[in-house]
Structure formats: structure tokens, C-alpha cells
């Protein structure tokens, strides 16, 4: 949020570290935790990132399951939809691109038309 703290590429498996950020949404304190994707891997470093992501998920009050809606679902997507229990919110990422699928009940995530929150009038 405002700083480049992780190496990010379009290549799956890039994210390894657990990144946290504190924010206030209309007076409600929230801790966001960004982790590696939960997927099968043989890469020892990625396996450790996935292990840490799973640890973070186990203590989360809510899991945001972000899936790429512009690509057909893969085995990892289907496994996550089955494995990640409630409470969760499924977010269909890349919703500004043509959709290849839409998970049932998913919230489409598009770039906002303008910055700011309509609920409390502040930028998030």
C-alpha cells in the first residue's frame, strides 16, 4: 500500500513472503495479509511460502480467495474452492478482461472508476 515491498511478476509462484498492512476502514481496524498462493509445488522455497500462507489462513477472521477469472479454472483453483472453508469471500480478479469463468457467488474485482470510499468518503 504505497510501497513496493515484494517482487511481483505474472509468473505463478513469485510471491513467497507474508506481507501485512494495517488500515482503518471507517473506524474499523483491519490487518490485511498477502501471502503466496495455496497451490501444489515441488520448489522448496515456494513450498515454504505456501506453508506460511496456510498458517496465516488458519488464524484469519476472513479469507479472501482471489482467483483469475480471465483464465479457465485450473486444478489448484478447483481445489481451493473446495478446501477453503468459511468465512471466505471469493474475489474474481481481472474482471476488466473477458471472463473465461466466474466462480459461483464471486465478487468481480474491477479497477475503481475513481479513488475513494463511497461509505465514508475517504481514500482506502
Amino acid at each position: 500500500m504505497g510501497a513496493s515491498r515484494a517482487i511481483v511478476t505474472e509468473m505463478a509462484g513469485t510471491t513467497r513472503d507474508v506481507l501485512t498492512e494495517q488500515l482503518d476502514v471507517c473506524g474499523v481496524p483491519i490487518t490485511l495479509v498477502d501471502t503466496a498462493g495455496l497451490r501444489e509445488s515441488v520448489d522448496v522455497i515456494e513450498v515454504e511460502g505456501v506453508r506460511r500462507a496456510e498458517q496465516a489462513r488458519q488464524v484469519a477472521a476472513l479469507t479472501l480467495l482471489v482467483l483469475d477469472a480471465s483464465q479457465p479454472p485450473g486444478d489448484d483453483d478447483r481445489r481451493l474452492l473446495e478446501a477453503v472453508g468459511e468465512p471466505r469471500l471469493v474475489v474474481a480478479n481481472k474482471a476488466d478482461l473477458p471472463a473465461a469463468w466466474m466462480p459461483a457467488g464471486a465478487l468481480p474485482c474491477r479497477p475503481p472508476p475513481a479513488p475513494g470510499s463511497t461509505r465514508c468518503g475517504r481514500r482506502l
Side-chain angles (χ1 to χ4, degrees):
M1 293 185 31
S4 178
R5 297 187 297 175
I7 297 170
V8 178
T9 71
E10 293 191 16
M11 194 171 81
T14 303
T15 302
R16 311 294 175 87
D17 296 314
V18 175
L19 302 175
T20 61
E21 187 68 41
Q22 305 288 322
L23 67 139
D24 178 290
V25 177
C26 303
V28 177
I30 295 176
T31 301
L32 297 175
V33 180
D34 187 15
T35 69
L38 298 173
R39 65 191 195 111
E40 300 292 326
S41 179
V42 295
D43 179 285
V44 66
I45 297 171
E46 186 177 5
V47 167
E48 177 61 18
V50 170
R51 185 188 70 75
R52 292 179 185 201
E54 183 58 35
Q55 282 182 323
R57 189 183 70 79
Q58 293 296 328
V59 298
L62 173 69
T63 299
L64 297 179
L65 182 54
V66 181
L67 301 174
D68 184 350
S70 72
Q71 300 294 319
D75 292 339
D76 289 324
D77 296 323
R78 287 187 282 276
R79 184 181 56 78
L80 284 171
L81 285 166
E82 291 176 12
V84 176
E86 301 294 333
R88 74 173 188 195
L89 177 62
V90 179
V91 178
N93 196 15
K94 301 182 185 175
D96 54 325
L97 300 176
W101 73 302
M102 184 61 64
L107 173 68
C109 182
R110 292 181 180 84
S117 168
T118 57
R119 295 237 28 204
C120 60
R122 295 186 312 211
R123 288 185 56 154
L124 299 181

